[in-house]
Amino acid sequence: MTLFLRAVLVTFLLFTFQPLLAQNTGTITGTVTLIDGQPFASVSVSIKETGRATLTNGNGHYTFNNVSPGRYHIKIQVLGATEKDIEVTVVAGQTVTADHQLPKENVQALQEVTVASGTNKFSKKETRFVARMPLKYLENPQVYNTVSKELIQEQVAIDLGSISKNVPGAGIPMIANQGRVTFRSRGFETEPNARNGVAGAAFSSIDPVNLERIEAIKGPSTTLFGTNISSSYGGLFNRVTKRPYNDVGGEVAYTGGSWNLNRLTVDVNSPVNADKTALFRLNAATTHQKTFQDQGFTNNLSLAPSFSYQITDRLSLLLEVEFGQEKGTSVVRFNPLTTSGKTQTIEDIGVPYNRTFMSNDLTYSTQMLNIFAQANYKISSQWTSQTVVSRARSTINGYITALNGRANNTLIPNIIVGATNFIATDIQQNFIGDLNIADHRNRIVAGLDYYNNFNDFDRVTVNLPAVNYLVPNANYRISRFKVDSAANTGGTLRKEKNRDNTYAAYVSDAFNITDQLLVMGSIRVDRYQYLGVYNVNTGQTAGGLGANGVSIGPYKQTSVSQKMGLVYEVAKDRLSLFGNYMGGFFNRSGQAADGTPFRPEHANQMEFGAKGNLFGHRLTGSVSYYDIRVKNVLRTDPNNTNYSIQDGTRKSQGVEVDLTANPFTGFNVVAGYAYNYSVITNANADINGLRPDGSGPDQMINFWASYRVSKGQLNGLGAGFGGNYGSRSYQLNNRTTKVIIPSYTMFDAALFYDQPKYRVSFKVNNLTSEKAWSVRLTPQAPAQFLGSVALKF
């Protein structure tokens, strides 16, 4: 019998006997909900006697068809909760229901939750990444802000810079020359290089197409996250990615706009097997856009597939890939003359706002490949094992440009030509527990972390002839041919490889003294091994000292960091008071003139404040005061300028407010305020007592308010309005020379019509075309118009 005839016969038998099978079997169905009645997605449900298993869908619902009559036990298994067995009796031709409501809300901290709630839709505070244990927002002594996908969608935010507008204190993002984005946090620079709580470094642009939300974790976060994922003393930006879900669905969207913007995105999800325990999701995007300036463009592609598999009721596997490639031109980066002896604003300097002084053939190409694998195993009702492997690779080829200011209204183009590679590997093993000891609840995470970093440089830096930026020559053009000629005949060569390893162990315990009083203690030990710089031309690994006593050869350092916190819930699940004392560090190489080796630079933060979840979840947020002190900062030795000494200090103090509100149905508000006082407290005379360069504005405000009609013929129609304010700041700040970035106030507005099968949006960014600059003096775009159409299925 041919294969075709066999397929026809099987199909005939199925259609013939399916009705008879249904008459002789029964159905088991049910819904799993959280303690507040909201549906719980992706919960493992199995029949103990038969081994059949499935996952709940977005509505928390599950179904087993064609079950033979008899008595069975339905097992509901959730990370962070006690296993539940429900006995059912199946009768032929009938449906039996087995529902379950979880007794603890905290399980959502260890497993992604889909909550179909219209109340305060932008407030998605519960997370399993910030504390790495089942800890609610009100129980966590650390401040963190979240930007949900609902807010990202409503604001038609198509890049990380637009998303960060909603984070208090983030400021105007700094775009590096290859599309990499950097934010401010409490006066310090930090990058979004954490993904799902572990290293996901990307030295290139990151498309937000696969983002579930952004988590801005505030303060030194070394204890749980280390220093290898660009956590700074001010905080950490964590990208939480979209996960596969137990249903068939998706969306195709197109966005067009100013400066020839064309963007196409796809989101497709589907179960892979009949039991719906294997799930697949693909997010993809391609974007092309020119700049508002006279030259410049970007053209990129992003693919982000993810696969999850509930192998057994205790073991689950998640595999994600982020692939991105981009071709474009560098954004303007202007470096003013540092010895002008003047105090002036960037406006006073007079560099034209809409000119790049470069060419469209000076392009860079980047490629990013991040692979993330996670296995969760429920050891018992109290303990879960989590194993994570992350591999991140970024490559940069081509031309990276900057403009260096000189006297007499001139600038010199500075161009890097060549290739750069970054490869990072992170392996973690965590054991997460939720158990009672002497009638007191303990939530514990203990883990081991190995991180390897490898960098490869093969590039030349050249300077080209100066140009008067106020009256440039009519034939002025920086071409690829001119740059290549200069690189072949001179320039500064960097042809090297360097590597480092970090071995770490950490433990954290949240201990409930009472149901409302909680203390947290955490400690981390890091062993850092820098393996030196290998010079490809000489074949030697560099040793000895470089400028100012900084070693470029191998060295090793051990660091200890801590996190302590106290939380008292004044009103259980509604209002809490908190305080924390957290530490962070960065490794520093070299030695002083007397041969004393440098120690790691350290910072400690003291913070206290209040968190709320009030009026039936209609108002959530936090108010806090922080004080960060940094010590062991390197500075030039005043007695020997060829060396450094390690007695520099810095402090950063401030207040942050983060509020998300739903005063009445359909109306939502997101608002934030950040005040930051930063000062260098012990340094060389030219900068001592001053605010550090690049620390951003000392005051920032963000808000977004929107209303959506929730019933009637206009259901789904809405509008939003928001804005951002930043006080003046410094690109350069010393006793003799200051370059001031003016304050800014920028407003955005949106209209949208959201229906079950489609969504139409219109957005205007920077309504008034306010002139503004990042800390790298990159001009920001004037009014930008966006239109978007999405089809859902």
Side-chain angles (χ1 to χ4, degrees):
M1 182 182 297
T2 67
L3 183 62
F4 173 76
L5 291 178
R6 290 179 182 177
V8 172
L9 178 60
V10 169
T11 303
F12 173 76
L13 292 175
L14 286 174
F15 278 98
T16 302
F17 293 104
Q18 185 69 25
L20 297 176
L21 184 63
Q23 294 175 4
N24 295 322
T25 60
T27 300
I28 304 173
T29 188
T31 302
V32 180
T33 58
L34 296 169
I35 192 171
D36 59 0
Q38 299 295 341
F40 197 177
S42 300
V43 175
S44 173
V45 182
S46 61
I47 304 176
K48 294 181 69 173
E49 286 75 10
T50 66
R52 290 180 61 183
T54 189
L55 296 172
T56 57
N57 63 15
N59 296 317
H61 189 72
Y62 71 92
T63 299
F64 292 104
N65 294 313
N66 302 322
V67 182
S68 299
R71 183 172 296 177
Y72 298 94
H73 291 84
I74 300 300
K75 183 165 65 172
I76 298 175
Q77 189 88 333
V78 178
L79 294 175
T82 303
E83 177 184 307
K84 179 67 176 179
D85 282 356
I86 304 175
E87 185 176 303
V88 297
T89 300
V90 176
V91 178
Q94 297 184 17
T95 298
V96 61
T97 300
D99 296 333
H100 178 55
Q101 186 175 45
L102 294 163
K104 294 180 182 178
E105 185 179 350
N106 301 75
V107 295
Q108 57 189 310
L110 281 179
Q111 187 162 327
E112 289 296 328
V113 185
T114 301
V115 179
S117 173
T119 303
N120 207 355
K121 63 180 181 178
F122 297 148
S123 179
K124 301 296 177 70
K125 296 293 188 182
E126 304 304 336
T127 173
R128 61 196 174 103
F129 299 113
V130 175
R132 291 189 179 171
M133 62 173 66
L135 203 63
K136 292 185 297 184
Y137 172 67
L138 293 184
E139 295 178 311
N140 196 323
Q142 187 169 10
V143 171
Y144 59 92
N145 318 123
T146 60
V147 183
S148 67
K149 65 179 180 182
E150 289 81 5
L151 183 55
I152 295 171
Q153 182 183 91
E154 184 171 289
Q155 293 182 345
V156 197
I158 60 175
D159 57 75
L160 290 181
S162 299
I163 295 170
S164 71
K165 290 180 179 181
N166 303 286
V167 176
I172 293 176
M174 183 192 79
I175 308 297
N177 292 322
Q178 60 275 10
R180 197 170 88 244
V181 63
T182 302
F183 311 110
R184 307 298 104 182
S185 184
R186 299 188 171 181
F188 298 91
E189 178 181 301
T190 186
E191 299 182 27
N193 279 345
R195 184 195 58 219
N196 300 327
V198 299
F203 292 89
S204 58
S205 63
I206 303 173
D207 196 289
V209 68
N210 67 328
L211 279 188
E212 184 73 22
R213 64 182 178 272
I214 283 284
E215 297 175 347
I217 306 169
K218 298 303 183 73
S221 301
T222 305
T223 306
L224 287 181
F225 298 99
T227 62
N228 296 310
I229 50 179
S230 295
S231 62
S232 73
Y233 299 139
L236 170 74
F237 279 76
N238 181 41
R239 310 184 327 261
V240 179
T241 57
K242 297 175 183 177
R243 302 294 176 88
Y245 55 92
N246 184 8
D247 210 344
V248 176
E251 178 181 291
V252 177
Y254 170 79
T255 303
S258 304
W259 313 302
N260 198 28
L261 170 68
N262 286 278
R263 175 175 171 83
L264 180 67
T265 63
V266 176
D267 183 355
V268 180
N269 186 90
S270 176
V272 176
N273 60 357
D275 289 332
K276 298 184 178 181
T277 54
L279 311 172
F280 177 78
R281 188 171 187 172
L282 174 65
N283 287 274
T286 182
T287 305
H288 175 82
Q289 184 177 23
K290 293 186 176 181
T291 177
F292 72 93
Q293 296 175 304
D294 58 353
Q295 298 276 273
F297 72 94
T298 55
N299 191 358
N300 59 49
L301 172 69
S302 177
L303 300 173
S306 56
F307 173 77
S308 69
Y309 184 28
Q310 190 74 34
I311 301 172
T312 69
D313 58 344
R314 292 180 177 272
L315 178 62
S316 64
L317 176 67
L318 174 68
L319 178 63
E320 295 184 338
V321 175
E322 288 179 326
F323 173 81
Q325 63 181 23
E326 179 172 283
K327 182 178 182 179
T329 56
S330 298
V331 299
V332 168
R333 175 186 177 184
F334 181 65
N335 302 310
L337 186 63
T338 59
T339 58
S340 68
K342 300 178 181 179
T343 296
Q344 53 189 340
T345 69
I346 179 60
E347 292 175 311
D348 296 332
I349 295 175
V351 178
Y353 197 79
N354 64 346
R355 300 202 67 176
T356 67
F357 296 95
M358 293 294 174
S359 302
N360 277 344
D361 64 349
L362 294 177
T363 60
Y364 65 81
S365 297
T366 63
Q367 188 179 94
M368 175 190 73
L369 178 64
N370 291 342
I371 300 173
F372 177 91
Q374 175 179 302
N376 290 326
Y377 181 72
K378 192 173 179 63
I379 301 171
S380 68
S381 61
Q382 297 177 327
W383 288 97
T384 300
S385 168
Q386 181 187 77
T387 305
V388 180
V389 178
S390 176
R391 178 84 163 178
R393 176 181 64 83
S394 297
T395 62
I396 306 165
N397 293 281
Y399 304 83
I400 301 173
T401 65
L403 304 175
N404 293 334
R406 291 295 183 266
N408 302 319
N409 302 323
T410 60
L411 58 81
I412 293 178
N414 176 268
I415 302 172
I416 299 174
V417 188
T420 309
N421 296 284
F422 302 91
I423 301 175
T425 304
D426 194 4
I427 301 174
Q428 285 185 10
Q429 174 59 53
N430 296 310
F431 295 97
I432 304 164
D434 188 351
L435 62 155
N436 287 335
I437 300 176
D439 296 326
H440 293 277
R441 188 181 184 189
N442 288 260
R443 279 159 286 182
I444 301 170
V445 58
L448 299 172
D449 190 1
Y450 167 73
Y451 183 87
N452 171 265
N453 184 65
F454 175 84
N455 301 325
D456 181 4
F457 301 89
D458 184 5
R459 62 196 198 186
V460 178
T461 301
V462 298
N463 292 313
L464 296 185
V467 59
N468 186 314
Y469 55 76
L470 294 182
V471 190
N473 186 297
N475 296 321
Y476 171 81
R477 183 175 186 269
I478 301 297
S479 67
R480 178 179 294 189
F481 173 77
K482 291 180 180 180
V483 175
D484 290 345
S485 296
N488 289 329
T489 58
T492 303
L493 176 65
R494 186 179 184 185
K495 194 175 182 67
E496 65 188 36
K497 299 178 181 180
N498 57 70
R499 295 175 295 147
D500 57 78
N501 293 313
T502 301
Y503 305 86
Y506 48 87
V507 63
S508 181
D509 183 13
F511 177 77
N512 276 94
I513 300 174
T514 69
D515 189 45
Q516 294 176 253
L517 181 62
L518 177 146
V519 295
M520 172 182 278
S522 311
I523 191 169
R524 179 188 185 99
V525 179
D526 276 73
R527 180 60 172 172
Y528 178 73
Q529 296 179 341
Y530 185 64
L531 303 179
V533 176
Y534 174 77
N535 189 306
V536 176
N537 284 341
T538 65
Q540 301 295 317
T541 298
L545 300 178
N548 294 328
V550 176
S551 170
I552 55 176
Y555 70 95
K556 300 177 181 180
Q557 286 180 344
T558 300
S559 303
V560 179
S561 57
Q562 84 295 329
K563 175 181 177 182
M564 294 179 284
L566 179 68
V567 177
Y568 177 65
E569 293 191 65
V570 179
K572 183 66 176 175
D573 295 326
R574 295 195 302 276
L575 179 65
S576 67
L577 304 177
F578 69 90
N580 65 60
Y581 182 73
M582 303 191 301
F585 67 89
F586 282 99
N587 297 102
R588 296 297 180 228
S589 63
Q591 63 184 29
D594 62 2
T596 304
F598 293 141
R599 303 178 302 277
E601 182 182 281
H602 271 271
N604 288 309
Q605 171 186 275
M606 180 184 69
E607 182 177 23
F608 56 85
K611 293 182 179 181
N613 187 355
L614 306 171
F615 311 115
H617 198 57
R618 289 191 178 273
L619 176 63
T620 63
S622 63
V623 179
S624 66
Y625 167 82
Y626 62 85
D627 186 330
I628 302 173
R629 303 296 175 104
V630 187
K631 63 179 182 178
N632 296 342
V633 179
L634 295 180
R635 67 186 182 100
T636 302
D637 188 337
N639 300 316
N640 188 340
T641 57
N642 292 320
Y643 285 85
S644 292
I645 57 176
Q646 195 175 29
D647 65 350
T649 57
R650 175 181 173 180
K651 68 179 178 180
S652 178
Q653 300 167 307
V655 174
E656 286 186 344
V657 180
D658 174 34
L659 298 175
T660 308
N662 174 230
F664 53 87
T665 301
F667 184 59
N668 290 274
V669 179
V670 175
Y673 170 76
Y675 169 74
N676 173 257
Y677 171 75
S678 287
V679 63
I680 299 173
T681 51
N682 187 38
N684 296 100
D686 60 337
I687 59 172
N688 194 52
L690 300 180
R691 186 174 180 88
D693 299 341
S695 53
D698 62 354
Q699 295 192 67
M700 286 182 267
I701 298 172
N702 65 279
F703 78 94
W704 179 262
S706 66
Y707 177 73
R708 171 176 170 164
V709 179
S710 56
K711 54 186 173 182
Q713 292 184 343
L714 297 179
N715 180 29
L717 179 65
F721 179 78
N724 293 81
Y725 164 80
S727 60
R728 77 173 196 171
S729 58
Y730 295 96
Q731 190 272 343
L732 179 65
N733 188 22
N734 58 51
R735 296 291 176 194
T736 59
T737 304
K738 300 180 188 295
V739 177
I740 298 171
I741 303 173
S743 64
Y744 61 88
T745 303
M746 295 189 286
F747 296 104
D748 305 330
L751 292 172
F752 54 89
Y753 187 51
D754 196 358
Q755 294 296 299
K757 295 296 184 181
Y758 65 90
R759 180 181 64 256
V760 180
S761 304
F762 178 73
K763 174 79 179 296
V764 183
N765 291 318
N766 195 6
L767 270 168
T768 60
S769 292
E770 175 89 339
K771 286 189 175 181
W773 291 262
S774 73
V775 295
R776 275 193 170 181
L777 299 181
T778 302
Q780 302 301 292
Q784 179 190 33
F785 298 87
L786 301 173
S788 179
V789 178
L791 302 178
K792 310 174 190 178
F793 54 90

